[in-house]
Amino acid sequence: MVTARGTARRRAASRQDLAFRLGTGAFGLLLVLIVAAIGLELARQSMLSIRTFGFAFWRTSTWDPVAGQFGALPFIWGTLYSSVLALLVATPIAIGIAVFITELCPGWLQQPLVFLTELLAAIPSIVYGLWGIFVLVPAVRAFQAGLPDALRRLPVFAGPPLGVGMLSAVLILAVMVVPFTSSVAREVLRSVPVAQREAAYALGATRFEAIAAALFYARTGIVGAVMLGFGRALGETMAVTMVIGNNPQVSASLFAPQYTMAAVIANEFTEAADELYLHALIEIGLVLFVITLAVNGLSRLLIWGMSRTAAAPRSEEHTS
């Protein structure tokens, strides 16, 4: 009797375990199907543009709805250029904030700083855009006017002193990226074992050297935090649209008005009365989707490679 009851319980538990595994697996598969459905629908809705322009759509700069000529290169350039520059500005600031909160900040100040960092992430994009128009744009205009003539002749600093342009978009993106990167990096640093820091101090390391060792130990997670911020910058729309100038040109100048993929879709989608025009805008969305997937895929490969490199010495230590 007891054996039969135990067997029945084990079978019931096994069925429950199988049902739970299948249910959670279905949720994971649902996520894959949603991503695939988004890509297929974007490709279907942009098929006229794909057939008309082919890969020339990715590498030409002409954007003329009246003539029916469309090229996405200015928007691809503006999106990648602004995102990469914003990442270069935001990453040291975000990591510095994370290091200060986890390693150096007094206890009474930690929670207020954490709250303010998370508050920055919760501010709507349109509010950032308004702040950019009234604060960043005049500041960039004054900064450009104060540059020496020798610098203003360089291509990277050329352009009219409008204030709206690439530099304003980069700065506002950097502000928006900092809380995401900083929050993840802070949690990664908190997960570093205490023994790692104690070992560094036991070997005679200074505070700076102990923090550097913790950063090196957590480098995989920090790279993940940076790539999360990069993905946030790639897809930002409203704040960038309000300060970048919205001019479809490829320029290395920090002060030239430029355009991004998300901004052109937001600005011109309701005006696209022509079918080819509409399909071209949807294809820009497809391009943005592909670039985002590629960037995230490359970041996962980078993190995987770093994890393997970090795990190899530890496995050698255990075997020896």
Side-chain angles (χ1 to χ4, degrees):
M1 180 72 70
V2 175
T3 305
R5 287 179 180 175
T7 303
R9 288 175 182 172
R10 284 195 296 271
R11 288 176 179 175
S14 178
R15 286 194 295 268
Q16 290 175 355
D17 182 65
L18 178 62
F20 180 74
R21 185 180 302 176
L22 291 176
T24 53
F27 292 144
L29 180 61
L30 178 63
L31 184 62
V32 175
L33 292 176
I34 290 174
V35 174
I38 292 172
L40 289 173
E41 185 63 18
L42 287 173
R44 188 180 72 85
Q45 293 293 342
S46 59
M47 193 55 64
L48 178 60
S49 175
I50 294 172
R51 287 199 300 262
T52 304
F53 303 110
F55 284 106
F57 185 80
W58 293 60
R59 52 184 173 82
T60 55
S61 301
T62 303
W63 186 262
D64 189 353
V66 177
Q69 296 296 320
F70 300 99
L73 183 59
F75 313 112
I76 297 173
W77 166 261
T79 300
L80 294 177
Y81 192 34
S82 61
S83 299
V84 170
L85 291 180
L87 205 66
L88 292 176
V89 174
T91 298
I93 298 173
I95 294 177
I97 293 172
V99 168
F100 178 73
I101 291 176
T102 56
E103 305 286 344
L104 304 171
C105 183
W108 61 270
L109 189 57
Q110 278 189 355
Q111 282 307 116
L113 282 180
V114 170
F115 172 75
L116 289 175
T117 304
E118 294 174 352
L119 181 64
L120 281 177
I123 295 176
S125 176
I126 192 72
V127 175
Y128 277 113
L130 292 172
W131 177 76
I133 288 175
F134 293 113
V135 177
L136 278 182
V137 169
V140 169
R141 187 187 302 125
F143 171 73
Q144 185 181 3
L147 284 177
D149 291 337
L151 286 179
R152 296 176 67 178
R153 283 193 290 268
L154 296 176
V156 72
F157 295 117
L162 301 175
V164 292
M166 181 56 68
L167 183 58
S168 297
V170 166
L171 293 176
I172 204 166
L173 274 177
V175 173
M176 298 177 73
V177 163
V178 162
F180 291 91
T181 305
S182 177
S183 295
V184 177
R186 185 181 70 244
E187 296 304 320
V188 169
L189 287 173
R190 282 179 175 171
S191 67
V192 175
V194 177
Q196 186 75 18
R197 297 177 176 84
E198 292 177 347
Y201 287 126
L203 292 173
T206 63
R207 188 109 185 238
F208 173 79
E209 290 170 338
I211 293 173
L215 287 171
F216 182 78
Y217 184 90
R219 63 192 184 279
T220 303
I222 291 174
V223 170
V226 172
M227 297 313 297
L228 175 66
F230 189 44
R232 175 77 168 92
L234 282 173
E236 179 49 44
T237 306
M238 285 309 302
V240 175
T241 303
M242 296 170 73
V243 299
I244 199 170
N246 302 325
N247 186 17
Q249 63 171 328
V250 177
S251 173
S253 174
L254 293 174
F255 301 114
Q258 298 186 51
Y259 229 150
T260 65
M261 288 184 279
V264 69
I265 295 172
N267 280 338
E268 301 186 17
F269 194 81
T270 56
E271 303 172 4
D274 181 73
E275 187 177 9
L276 181 60
Y277 188 9
L278 181 61
H279 280 232
L281 288 172
I282 297 174
E283 187 175 359
I284 289 178
L286 177 63
V287 173
L288 180 59
F289 180 74
V290 170
I291 289 176
T292 304
L293 288 182
V295 167
N296 282 278
L298 289 174
S299 67
R300 294 309 306 171
L301 286 175
L302 176 63
I303 293 171
W304 177 70
M306 293 176 65
S307 300
R308 289 192 62 186
T309 304
R314 295 176 195 165
S315 61
E316 292 176 0
E317 291 175 3
H318 287 306
T319 54
S320 62

